[in-house]
Amino acid sequence: MTMNTVGRVTRIAGTGAVAETYTGNRGLMLEEPLLFERGSVDRCGVDLDPVPVVQDRLAGLARSTPIGLPGLSEPETVRHYTRLSRQNYGIDLGIFPLGSCTMKHNPRLNEKMARLPGFADIHPLQPQATVQGALQLIDTLAYWLKTLTGMPEVAMSPKAGAHGELCGMLAIRAALEARGDARKVVLVPESAHGTNPATAAFCGYAVENIPANARGRVDFEALKARLGPDVAAVMITNPNTCGLFEPDLKDICDAVHAAGAFVYCDGANFNAIVGRVRPGDLGVDAMHINLHKTFSTPHGGGGPGSGPVVFSEALAPFAPLPFVRKTRDGYELVEEMQARQTPQYDRSFGRMVAFHGQMGMFVRALAYMMSHGADGLRQVAEDAVLNANYILASLKDIYTAPFADSGPCMHEALFSDDFLHDTGLTTLDLAKAMIDEGFHPMTMYFPLVVHGAMLVEPTETESKASLDQLIGAMRSIAERMLADPDAYRTSPHLAPRRRLDETAAARKPVLGWKDPVSDAA
Amino acid sequence: MTMNTVGRVTRIAGTGAVAETYTGNRGLMLEEPLLFERGSVDRCGVDLDPVPVVQDRLAGLARSTPIGLPGLSEPETVRHYTRLSRQNYGIDLGIFPLGSCTMKHNPRLNEKMARLPGFADIHPLQPQATVQGALQLIDTLAYWLKTLTGMPEVAMSPKAGAHGELCGMLAIRAALEARGDARKVVLVPESAHGTNPATAAFCGYAVENIPANARGRVDFEALKARLGPDVAAVMITNPNTCGLFEPDLKDICDAVHAAGAFVYCDGANFNAIVGRVRPGDLGVDAMHINLHKTFSTPHGGGGPGSGPVVFSEALAPFAPLPFVRKTRDGYELVEEMQARQTPQYDRSFGRMVAFHGQMGMFVRALAYMMSHGADGLRQVAEDAVLNANYILASLKDIYTAPFADSGPCMHEALFSDDFLHDTGLTTLDLAKAMIDEGFHPMTMYFPLVVHGAMLVEPTETESKASLDQLIGAMRSIAERMLADPDAYRTSPHLAPRRRLDETAAARKPVLGWKDPVSDAA
Amino acid sequence: MRYLPLTQPDREAMLGVIGAPDIDALFADVPASAYLAEPIAGLPLHSPEMQVERALSVMAGKNLTAGTVPFFVGGGAYKHHVPATVDHIIQRGEFLTAYTPYQPEIAQGTLQVLFEFQTQVARLTGMEVANASMYDGSTAMTEAVFMARRITRRAKAVVSAGVHPHYVGVLNTLTRFTDDEVVTSTPSLTAGAPGDDIADLIAGLDAQTSCVIVQNPNIFGHVADLTPLADACHAAGTLLIVVVTEAMSLGAIKSPGEMGADIVVGEGQSIGNGLNFGGPYLGLFACRDKHVRQMPGRLCGETTDADGKRGFVLTLSTREQHIRREKATSNICTNSGLCALAFSVHMTLLGEQGLRHLASLNHARAVQLAERLGRVPGVELVTTQFFNEFTLKLPVEARPVIRKLADKGVLGGISLGRLYPGVSELERGMIVAVTETATDADFDAFEDALDEVLA
Amino acid sequence: MRYLPLTQPDREAMLGVIGAPDIDALFADVPASAYLAEPIAGLPLHSPEMQVERALSVMAGKNLTAGTVPFFVGGGAYKHHVPATVDHIIQRGEFLTAYTPYQPEIAQGTLQVLFEFQTQVARLTGMEVANASMYDGSTAMTEAVFMARRITRRAKAVVSAGVHPHYVGVLNTLTRFTDDEVVTSTPSLTAGAPGDDIADLIAGLDAQTSCVIVQNPNIFGHVADLTPLADACHAAGTLLIVVVTEAMSLGAIKSPGEMGADIVVGEGQSIGNGLNFGGPYLGLFACRDKHVRQMPGRLCGETTDADGKRGFVLTLSTREQHIRREKATSNICTNSGLCALAFSVHMTLLGEQGLRHLASLNHARAVQLAERLGRVPGVELVTTQFFNEFTLKLPVEARPVIRKLADKGVLGGISLGRLYPGVSELERGMIVAVTETATDADFDAFEDALDEVLA
Ligand SMILES: Cc1ncc(COP(=O)(O)O)c(C=O)c1O
Ligand SMILES: Cc1ncc(COP(=O)(O)O)c(C=O)c1O
């Protein structure tokens, strides 16, 4: 029988019943051992054709030593992963209000479309004549993205938001070099997502921070003061990571351009303005779009995503290979060969990935865009902003809301744990209490400009009833925490695991399974 | 905040934490209101083309009054059903040892094949030339079923086991009438499944019971004694519902035939002998096969199933319409028209369903059979029997095993709650304790011939590790029940619901939602 | 073998625990003469997933798929667009691989769905209570006749000429050997009201009649007001059973309940379920509260648990075979649970607003096509009041016309010759169904092809 | 609109709570000049699911699907049979719709999968530790070069001529603006060992060389023993980075780890993932324990919870951008989580036994086809030691041959002319990949078509 660590048998209050079980399971909350504890190298969940006898051509390099890959029969495999899945939360289960992540509904139509063999079962290097439909799809999606952003060009191959940032910053680099101007400094607001400075550094820029003003926006004066001949670009997020629109963005763009630099816009928060504002109208030079946020492709527990980047006229010539062009009799994929042969393509800064980008995500995103249409996408932004403001308005009397006085927010509401100060409880404790209530918590401790930040992004795919339940629970948690703080220092209690020791994990990392026997031997 | 009924606030033992939540959720165990509480008639989760304006032709019968069907947006719909699904147990979660139900692994290949548009998107009344592949599939499956059972004919259209029984009993009736012999009595062993007597009664037979002997088999002497000119048929289950092979079945068949009657075999337990024994070799005249048991089509929370019936030469001419025949240039579906025109078909007793049976299940079953092949299916029976005997052998020292002395069982192990007699606990209590341990319980109180029966059918798709865990838990529960019975009178405690009041449900049935407002008005 | 977890060492260890020398020892009860020593001859051995997929894909490829051609076949099975969400939900392992909810504490998912389904069906049909599903519409109809017999203690059932002939066939099969008397008649293609025999049905009512069974819209697509029939039935102590083979019609047409039906049975395939060459489908069964204890099939009911929380259970099982055996209201056990889930998910997506819209769309499109085809020379529109299906009378026999249309890649409908073999007055009739899935291009293709075939 | 739950009354009530007169008030920060009053022009309005499905199906229908033709295209993306179970699992909402597991108490499913995935990848590559995935093989390779620079503090990377030219292209792009020096060379079709420059690589090692990057099997399919190269690298203080673009090969060929690699990167698409026209794919990244703190990407590690129960968390995040910002080891955030799940499920189904079998099957089939095609007049088999992919030298330029084969319904491989535009020595080369999915009939069709095209 499983006991808690102190070895007591716990009884369920109000009954004589024992709370621990022999299996460690608790009704439908099931424990699952590791594959390496369950499987063995001689088990197998596939049947295969017999291997014809041939003289091998492996250069004497046949793999002969044991690999250590356990297998399972098919029934065991299904069960292993199904049981594990049930230890996860997902949008399909409830609201997932992770600020900056735009966890919206993932339509199953998109999944179905992405699995059409005509999209899922074609090879990236098939002759172009055999993939005209795929190229058409990419071209159509590109058209939507350009039209929605009001930008003249788009690079489709980046694999995620951060990869899109890289693409944009490389294009800026290429444009600067093309004019013989090796500027090296990139200005990044303090509130920026970590990928922004990391990206800039990744392609060789020096990063400098720009402070925020008291209203949670970029300090325009500080920015202007720093502009100069060494500044290559400003990376700015709009709406920013405090969930606020940057009202000066147009002016910032003008000032940056006047200083001979470029504006990279982090478009992770495009959901707040899609159909309402075209970033091109604000003057940005490059912006990535997370198809896995605004355009509903699923996050899959960490990926894959897709991060197309739109470009201004100034950067368009430098867009990466490959790309799709509409020709008189179809669609052409412009790769190295075509770029060599075509003068107007030879300024491309080159290839960012082995193939043409995240086709699976393109199909999903286009299905989503076509479903919503221009009218629906506009409604998306409106409802996303409405939902966030409803939460802000409903909680700001009890939760500290650092920028609530400066007006409405966009698609996410920012709070902090200041109001818990006297209890010794923190944002972390509050998040864990939400887990017991059956919610995924909000984003914690981001953006860094607010201490103990809680960033709540409901998205437009939450109903009012869902928001009301979240608001009710968050109010109730806050009230209970203020009244009885000790009851909330060790949450969660009702999840598959209690609080996990992250410090111990990092101190002596165990990053893979070690077989007890073989490793002891 | 949700409280338990007595209104106390429960704290989690060993911490100051409160066990109840505002939402009623408990971590990942989520509560979900009824659709009728969540949705409303003006919400909608689909978009549709606009309706062209026409002069209607509804005979003045347009539906004008409110219907009361609430809708939900698509995200809410996905969530409603996903949350509900998580309150269910299924084979994908763990062993589902319901005796007589053959809850085996449901391969996903079968699901994929059944969804091929060439099978899923064809109409039953398309011209035959446009559905030759579908007719070929039915004919191929029929061939497998006939070959596996050693019977010359099969009726494919019955929709489930009980419907197959009906089919078989109607064929017997037709055969008797064809020889002008209006016998009306059907003999059914006490241990038979309820569908057997119900079916016999449904098509106008009088049902009489045959007792079981001390070894859990049909009392052959009693049966022989009852045979006579009024007996139309004997319905017998083999392996029987105690999980035992009927060793006298061949002799029974001979005796029944000698008395001018027929033997209907309930083939629900075919999984125990598939590939090892052909029922045709034992002399039965008709037997249904639950494709949703032996051949792995999923149970779907209650259905659909499929119950093809194999026939002996004596009954073959009476098989129902429609059926498929291989012709020189393809496959023919024999319906009423063809039957009228073809003398050898005119003895069919007629049609059992509107169309041709459970095509979706046929595809799955054939995919399963082809995957296993003749060799694999034989191994299925062996492993199913081995698994059941392993459980029997591992538990019979503590669980009462009424027939364990009479030798090995087949595919299921039968126990009773006799060993709990002094504790006042019953089969029901034991089943509910298994729920807390994370298992679906065995079949309870069936067959009726054993008091407090527990019928455990693991199937061949359970691993030894899975059986060992079940056995360990069942031993542990039994030991704990004997030691501390009071702790187990009110299980389950850890499932989404505690014990439900079935008596109250039946006393004043509430079989649908009543809108609080409109019904009060 | 990929579905079998036991390894050879497992098997040996387990035999050891059992104390059996080998696997054959466990089959000792099987007579030697019937115990096979080798895999059954004539069948292939096990096969990799890829090979099975290939072989079945070849078979599937030989069929002409509804979604790829102009498609107008109905007659009790309809091609509607099923949202992708539906299929996703029914593939959740917790729904797909669960059994009948006999352990309600860990089956609240299935049970709440059934409770919601029952409510949806009751409201859709305009009745008070619905069960948790039957096999299909045809078997549900037979069960309704038997239920009427139990309620009225009369044995004569009168079937309208407008009822689907396959449904009538099923009823005839099931009553062939019982004491039930079933009165049927052959329909006629009366212009404007094909198969409408309400007046005759009323006239024929007598004190022996347990029930009258009428289909609406009927097999020819014709829609009728059943209220006078219901009134007459009730005056005669007879139950009115209404059959609905196109559930979508209930979004547009007055419900059977509103017209006075006592029992409503139907085919629910149209909502949430694909064509599937005829199965699995979804039998709907609804009636009045007062008759619930005579209903066949499973019922889910509300109750509370030991903590006082709301929950659901299967209930009134004293009607059922596993409790009542030969005295049960039916022998049904396995039903159409997963199809009911698909129905319920689709209905939830639609909601009342969506259902009404979709039904109107079906109707309007059918009106458009009917009027177009009615203008094809030599073609007569026989059904003038309909939902999404109507009957045409062609200048020639319909069966070969339909085959020729198929050769041109148009699946144009069902010939009455196929449904009523040997009835020469009907052989020029053709039933055409139109749903939201048919495009204008499909209409054009159909009209052109029909023109050509009839030319 | 089906994805939007708010109704108009909801919106009004919510605006009331907010105290905003209308929705525009919430967008007050947007400059009027940029605030659009109407839906954006040039885009269609919202569309029913059925219409979207139809439009996309038309596009999909314009592509020649690998599964429908004899198919031999490889070059870093391979068509293997993916069991149906894999797709079922990755569609579980709890996996599909979860975010990165930042709240481990309710993400143990994803986390345990990652822990298992990391272990599988480490063992498969013969390394000590693997991360939780990168975008794809090509970006993983660039990250490996940057990691080597951090470890060695040297800036010169030497790339073997046998590395996939697209991978080299990605590296060149990323290093174009940094201080890194990348040494590349053009391969030659040396009979028996195309692209094999190990001797040159060894000869060229110097004290500035941070890393040598070599692909095995290389782009021409050629398999080489890397042990001498590894030894030479280590003697020079240089790291050996091995790229594997066909993960399946690791079931047949000695692992890079066994041959002395310091970092192994690869494309994991082959296992569990479809072709998808190039993405999403799965970057594999593995190294030695001692270098783990210089690794890019997420890592999942084991720990315990407050009750002492084992659990998993993301760990060592001080390497990552969200903590370290411009000092992070990489800018990667979103990775290929769901593709890693698919890989892991397929690998679990295979197990070591299945993987070895499948890899042998691939190899044997490739040997069979290589020997057949090598006998076609005028065709030379250039790669003689390979796994499941080899290069042929045709008597004529390969690009048009491949197009003509496609016209005959055979997708026969990749022309080197496409991969190496302008390198005339390579233009007659053609890379052919053979997996378990190719049948004997496919072989026949390929040989016949090639015969005809070359005739
Ligand atoms: C504001 C912001 N920028 C950039 C990113 C990086 O995007 P990705 O994770 O797709 O690389 C994120 C993702 O969380 C983000 O929230
Ligand atoms: C022994 C036996 N006979 C008959 C049946 C009835 O089969 P079905 O539920 O498919 O109608 C069952 C099903 O549980 C059974 O176990």
Side-chain angles (χ1 to χ4, degrees), chain A residues 99-101 159-165 192-196 237 239 241 266-269 288 290 292-293 302 305-307 446, chain D residues 99 102 135 298 321 331-335:
Chain A
S100 209
C101 299
K159 296 239 161 194
H163 205 226
E165 296 172 24
H193 192 261
T195 51
N196 292 189
T237 309
T241 61
D266 182 329
N269 294 337
H288 75 262
N290 305 61
H292 47 300
K293 297 184 176 177
S306 180
F446 176 82
Chain D
Y99 200 72
Y102 289 140
Y135 302 135
R298 296 189 189 122
Q321 47 73 26
N331 71 336
I332 193 170
C333 179
T334 291
N335 58 16

Side-chain angles (χ1 to χ4, degrees), chain B residues 118-119 122 131-139 324 359, chain C residues 59-60 62-63 277:
Chain B
F119 296 133
I122 54 176
V131 291
Q132 285 293 303
L135 299 178
Q136 180 188 1
L137 185 130
I138 296 175
D139 189 65
V324 177
M359 183 67 177
Chain C
M59 282 190 212
K62 292 183 193 160
N63 302 318
F277 200 47

